[in-house]
Amino acid sequence: MSDHPQLPPGQYELAQLPRFGLQKFARRFPRDVDKVVLEVVGDVARNVTVLEEIHRLPRVEQTADLHCVTTWSHRGLVWSGYRFRDFYQGIVVPWARPAADAEVVVLRGQDGYASSLPLEDLLADDVLLADRLNGKPLSIAHGSPLRLVAPAHYGYKNTKHLCSIEFRGPHRPYRSRVFPFRFMDHPRARVALEERGRGIPGWLLRYLYRPLVQPTIREFQAALKVHLERLREQTRE
Ligand SMILES: Nc1nc2c(c(=O)[nH]1)N[C@H]1C(S)=C(S)[C@@H](COP(=O)(O)O)O[C@H]1N2
Ligand SMILES: [Mo]
């Protein structure tokens, strides 16, 4: 498992893209996988629910690698969707009118997952709200109906099954209740700087996280199999 020279520091390549996440989300699944329902809330003048309007934004396609903080990477994913910046400028600003000092954004998924990023990071060119992967609609495994794609940030910032976007000003600092330990949630988690966690050097976390990769993949895969079987039974009934 030597580090690949073309990968960011401390990462190795997985040939397959696994369904992955924090263990407690392995058995949690989205309810609504066919259509986008996205709440915009928090420090905004008006809460809004974004539905099919999102599909009027210009569609963009982008090839990017996914780097999980636990040290695996998968390369060459072809995402299709909307630039977060276009969504922000075209829908969020005119409809919801975020407070001028709202600088942190919390992205929540239908499975109860949440992660945050500075608004400035989300406005980068390569940050997408993706609804397609490798030429097909997003699957349940990888985040249907909509997921965040932020390739410069570790996988845990890329919320799947996106259902809510919350803006927060400095008077309401965000503290994650999703991650079991505070060190696990770096406010920016930039891959190039190996910002794996808060207050602990990234290179040290490699050794803590790497043994979790294979057991987590197995658990997420087994849970998905059970879920898909259940869905199939329901459609037969
Ligand atoms: N809703 C939700 N989004 C999530 C997660 C999750 O458990 N739930 N896990 C995160 C982590 S840790 C990673 S590495 C990526 C994995 O994406 P994949 O399952 O498509 O490989 O999703 C991220 N987004
Ligand atoms: Mo991850």
Side-chain angles (χ1 to χ4, degrees), residues 20-22 67-70 72 154-156:
F20 207 88
L22 279 179
H67 307 292
C68 174
V69 73
T70 63
W72 65 265
Y154 284 113
Y156 69 92

Side-chain angles (χ1 to χ4, degrees), residues 32 35-39 49-51 110 145 162-164:
D32 241 320
K35 60 175 199 310
V36 173
V37 180
L38 193 51
E39 310 278 352
T49 305
V50 181
L51 303 168
Q110 289 184 47
L162 206 58
C163 65
S164 149

